[in-house]
Every structure is written in C-alpha cells, then in structure tokens.
Amino acid sequence: MKNILITGASGMLGGTLSRSFLNEFNVFGTGNSVLKKVSFKYKDFDLSSSSYEELIKWSNPDIIILSGAITNGNYCNDNPSEAFRVNGLSVQKFLKATNKNVKIIYISTDAVFPSSLNLAKETDCVSPENVYGKSKELGEFFLNTSISRRYTIIRTTIVGLNINNRKLGFVEWIINTAKNNQELGLFSDVLFTPISIWDLATEIKFLINSGNINSETLHIAGELCTKYQFGKKLLQNLNISIDKLAKSSILSFSGRAKRCLDQSMDSSFYEQKYKRNLPNLNQTVNTIKKYYNE
Ligand SMILES: NC(=O)c1ccc[n+]([C@@H]2O[C@H](COP(=O)([O-])OP(=O)(O)OC[C@H]3O[C@@H](n4cnc5c(N)ncnc54)[C@H](OP(=O)(O)O)[C@@H]3O)[C@@H](O)[C@H]2O)c1
C-alpha cells in the first residue's frame, strides 16, 4: 500500500480525502489543529514551520496531496505574509523536503483567474484579484518550475460538508439559514462551477490509481450556475423551504476581500484527455443530499 500524506486533513476537502482513501492507501493526515477520534493517522503541524523534516519522517509519503490552506479571503487580505507562507511557500518546502520520486497533487482554485474570464481554461493566463488567489498562484509557480517532479495542479471549486462540526462552510450556511427560517440572500450575479468534495475525491483517486500524475494543470469542476441557482436547487432537493431565499448582488456587498463575479472554469480538457464524465449540477446536489442524510 502506498503512503499518502494529506494536508488540510482537519478541513472540508482534506478530511473527506483522508477518510475516503483509507481502504486503498496508508493515510497520514495533517492539519493545524489537534484532532481527536479520527479514523486515519493524524498529526497536527503548522505549514508555516521552517522545517518539514519531522512531518516527512512520520509519513514517509509516496504521494502528497496539498489541500491545507488559509481559505478565508478576508483573513488572507489582512495577513498577506501568513497567507503566502501557508498557501504558497509551503509548496516549495515540500519540494525541498522530499525526493523527486514523491508525487505531489496541489489543490488550487478558480481564484487564480480574473473576473473577465468565463469558463476559464488551463491555457488562460492567471491574474488573481486578491491575496488568497495570489498565494495559491505562488504555490502553482513552485510546482511549474520544479525540476523532474511528477505533480498535478488541480484547479477546482468545491462544495461539501465539514467533518469538523465546529466549521461551517457555504453549504452548511445555506442549509442552516434556511432551516432557521432566516432571510437568505444568494448572489445571482456570481457564476461558478461547483463540484462536490466526494466527486473530486473520486477523480483524484482515478488520477493516482491510473498513474496519471503527469506534471500538468487540470481544471476539475462542475456545471455552470449562479450561487443563487445552486442554493435553490440544493434546498429544493433537501425539501427545505425556499420562502426566505432571495436573489442578491455581490455589488451591494461591502467589507469583504475582492471576489470575482465569474469564478467559472471549463473542465473539458480533463474530461476529454482522461475520458471522464464530471457531474452536472443535479448530480452534485444529489451527492450532497446523500452525505447530508448520513
Ligand atoms: N472551499 C472552497 O470553496 C475552495 C475552492 C477552490 C479551491 N479550494 C482549495 O481547496 C483546498 C481545501 O479547501 P477546504 O475548503 O477544505 O479548506 P478548509 O476547510 O478551510 O480547510 C483548510 C485546512 O488547511 C489547514 N490549515 C490552515 N492553515 C494552516 C497552517 N498554518 N498550517 C497547517 N494547516 C493549516 C486547516 O487546519 P485547521 O482547520 O486545523 O486550522 C484545514 O485543515 C484548499 O487548498 C483551497 O485553497 C477551496
């Protein structure tokens, strides 16, 4: 069995990857907080640390999945040095701490692109509009300029549920607000292409098991929709009232890090190259429903 080190294992995607990879890999998860009672081997480790030796010695990885990041855009804007250290420089530290046989999968983001692009392709130029996007671009840069390293940069937009019930993501916020019968405004002028964390886990497993870590960038995302359309479909699917749901505009939203109006990505290169069918919006929402009901 291959050893796989997963950063961000206390977060939404990393937690799901760690659990769903357990049957096929020796999973070593790491995050910034102390976690108890997890089903995989876990060690807390701050990605700002100067030495990664202890982490690598502990996990002896064949593959590393870099899912750990500071994902709060406002926090990144207020703390740019920390954001660059954790989201970007950590990639260089992993490269330096491991030999060239260790493959790296870096989870990147739509936020490396500007608003002016619709359905951004792998060949489009990146031009992030906020610190978070810039810090992830830096992580990509270290892999793209690495020598003799097998890596995959996956740009994605994920939706899902947190294993850590102290954390609330986009999906949980929509569900909880609607269930509590509170006013819920969702942007009808922001486009994105969401994929569920479970479906993304399936694609990552496919890439690893088929030996396709080919030193490239791949867009792996879902169907184009607005945030409002996504939320409405999700709530209807879960039989939760949409009475308090309203369309809102990002333009009337102040006090937050600049976020693109168009966060959409085109995944057709990945689908065609690897003959994969990525889920549409209905399938994405159904997958969330399945795990929500569990
Ligand atoms: N969520 C999205 O909408 C989205 C969209 C596109 C791409 N992505 C990318 O997908 C990946 C996973 O996102 P997510 O939503 O699962 O994130 P998340 O739930 O916010 O989890 C982030 C993880 O990173 C860890 N982390 C943060 N600072 C750290 C530090 N200094 N040292 C070590 N670990 C640290 C967190 O640890 P603690 O919680 O223990 O502090 C947590 O495990 C990220 O790389 C993100 O950039 C996310």
Side-chain angles (χ1 to χ4, degrees), residues 7-15 30-35 42 44-49 66-72 82 86-87 106-111 132 136 154-159 162 164 166-167 170 197 200 227 259 265:
T7 71
S10 51
M12 184 172 78
L13 177 64
T30 178
N32 205 21
S33 41
V34 176
L35 278 195
Y42 180 86
D44 57 292
F45 179 80
D46 185 351
L47 291 169
S48 301
S49 307
L66 300 178
S67 182
I70 301 175
T71 53
N72 181 320
E82 189 182 343
V86 173
N87 298 356
Y106 179 60
I107 309 298
S108 190
T109 168
D110 57 81
Y132 167 68
K136 298 293 290 188
I154 296 177
R155 297 200 190 116
T156 187
T157 305
I158 41 172
V159 284
N162 283 283
N164 182 343
R166 283 183 294 114
K167 292 190 169 195
F170 182 53
I197 50 176
L200 183 62
K227 300 249 169 161
R259 200 72 176 94
M265 287 188 298

Side-chain angles (χ1 to χ4, degrees), residues 165-184:
N165 51 21
R166 283 183 294 114
K167 292 190 169 195
L168 276 188
F170 182 53
V171 167
E172 284 121 344
W173 172 72
I174 293 174
I175 295 172
N176 292 351
T177 310
K179 274 185 132 178
N180 292 334
N181 216 18
Q182 292 165 325
E183 304 291 336
L184 174 62

Side-chain angles (χ1 to χ4, degrees), residues 69-129:
I70 301 175
T71 53
N72 181 320
N74 290 335
Y75 186 88
C76 289
N77 261 14
D78 295 341
N79 303 276
S81 307
E82 189 182 343
F84 281 106
R85 229 178 8 254
V86 173
N87 298 356
L89 280 173
S90 59
V91 179
Q92 188 190 42
K93 291 180 188 168
F94 275 113
L95 283 165
K96 282 190 173 158
T98 53
N99 71 51
K100 67 175 174 47
N101 298 322
V102 178
K103 301 182 183 86
I104 295 183
I105 296 174
Y106 179 60
I107 309 298
S108 190
T109 168
D110 57 81
V112 297
F113 291 114
S115 284
S116 51
L117 282 174
N118 176 249
L119 291 170
K121 294 184 191 307
E122 289 85 347
T123 45
D124 285 319
C125 282
V126 297
S127 180
E129 295 185 346

Side-chain angles (χ1 to χ4, degrees), residues 236-265:
Q236 285 174 328
N237 222 277
L238 290 169
N239 286 324
I240 299 172
S241 166
I242 54 165
D243 287 352
K244 294 281 173 77
L245 174 65
K247 290 180 180 173
S248 68
S249 168
I250 196 171
L251 300 174
S252 58
F253 214 77
S254 59
R256 70 201 293 273
K258 192 167 191 297
R259 200 72 176 94
C260 286
L261 282 166
D262 194 330
Q263 303 163 4
S264 62
M265 287 188 298

